[in-house]
Amino acid sequence: MSQAASASAIPAELAGTLKSVAETASAWPFEEARKLVERLKKRPKDEVLFETGYGPSGLPHIGTFGEVARTTMVRHAFRILTEDKVKTRLLCFSDDMDGMRKIPDNVPDPAALVPYLQMPLTRVPNPFGGDYPSFGAHNNAMLRRFLDTFGFDYEFASATDYYLSGKLDAVLLKAAEKYDAIMEVMLPTLGEERQATYSPFLPISPTSGRVLYVPLKQVDAKAGTITFADEDGVDKTVPVTGGHVKLQWKPDFGARWAALDVDFEMFGKDHQTNAPIYDRICRILGGVAPEHFVYELFLDEKGQKISKSKGNGLTIDEWLTYASPESLALYMFQSPRSAKKLHFDVIPRAVDEYYAFLARYPQQDWKLRFGNPVWHIHSGNPPQVDMPVSFTMLLNLASASNTEDEQVLWGFLRRHVPGVSAETHPKLAELVRYAVKYFHDFVKPSKVFRAPDPVERKALEALDTALAALPETAGADEIQNALYDVARPIPRYQDFKAKGATEDRPGVSIEWFNTLYQVLLGLERGPRFGSFVEIYGIAETRGLIAKALGGTLSGAA
């Protein structure tokens, strides 16, 4: 899957139509892109710069990827709105000159890093070994590797490179000149003790190489230098340019925006209260603050914020072990302003929703397509994929047959779709591989069968009789109707509030299907049961019922 913007590939005769539809499209990337169009009217320029920031204090996590994926979606929407007449760039900026303030929990031999605390991340030895010269370089490479795998159209920028090469010199000299104005912004946001020692400039100690949080004794704007007491107790004077200092993170945000003329940057809700500070400092340094998009944070299964240093929540590689990149991109697209738990349980639903959106796309008009996530995920060119079964169905087939053998699943699938194979359906083959891995690691260990109670036993016996009366070629709807007919006479499963329910023909409650999942599959939930039986087989399902009634599944035998 490629995330590179593809607006230039749109035929000229279609571009105007798409632009017209895009001007009223309600999907959030278009809402953000329209803000940029208005910005460009007020402040014309030849190029629009999108930026994402990355703090490489730990291994990259999915939230980092989400910023690039979402920003790419806004960038592509902007290209549609401007008919690709304005050059755009996406810059992924790594704050790798930050001092290592604590040792991440998920590195080998943490004690070996203790001597390097407070040193810039690009001066900390790489705890993982290999070809990368520093911890910062290693983490940068991990991020770039994944972004490259996705095909993102981006440029990578290292803060260390920018500071050392002089690319930030002009804004650093401006910060020295505007030192008092910056302090007027910053000091009211700090406590009394912090105010006494605060400086927007953090010198890199000539003695130890550490990033120092020390008060400045002098700022000489004309000379472009600062003076401070070094760790050896001796006053040192160093230039603010050339990598001898770095900026505190809040001034650094605004200074970078001013230096690079950034037009759009999104960040997490934890930055929201500081955004006005970033904006003011950007303006003090002669820049125009970019358009912002604030997204809600990702949470782990315990509801705690995902942290790079803690390594909690899902990693990028973990998601891709069990599901496709497209499903991850869908998860990033949906409801970005709502807090979302990011753990293994969300994967199956994301996979199935992706293919459901993909299946609807060809039948939709352009208004609906612009609201369909797959248009944004695939930069306007979603693939055509025939996916005859859902990921959830594959997991339930694996669960019912208790197999980790892909060929067993293919046997069930060929019953449902004669002639289907990995060659005719490569995306289905991919899903089968993911399903086997997911079943082994998450479904199988959590399966808990329970024995049926007396009411459930009679219901299962009646279901067995009903299935026996059906032809082996019965379709999903016919089987589903039989399931309903078995449950209707049983008071426990009757639902008189269901649509179309009457006293003579009540609806059927979800409790009946929950019973089937829990007793026959050892799971809390599952797919439409008629569809499951159609693929798994009537005889095989009757076999499950016999095992449940005999106590084999629950271990009650």
Side-chain angles (χ1 to χ4, degrees), residues 483-501:
L483 290 165
Y484 283 127
D485 290 341
V486 166
R488 286 187 210 282
I490 303 173
R492 176 185 293 184
Y493 303 129
Q494 292 174 343
D495 181 5
F496 292 99
K497 295 181 180 179
K499 183 178 180 181

Side-chain angles (χ1 to χ4, degrees), residues 199-210:
S199 165
F201 291 107
L202 300 178
I204 311 298
S205 169
T207 303
S208 68
R210 301 181 195 281

Side-chain angles (χ1 to χ4, degrees), residues 90-107:
L90 171 57
L91 188 69
C92 299
F93 198 96
S94 172
D95 294 312
D96 56 15
M97 203 166 165
D98 288 352
M100 184 176 68
R101 303 184 69 174
K102 63 179 181 178
I103 299 172
D105 299 333
N106 54 356
V107 299

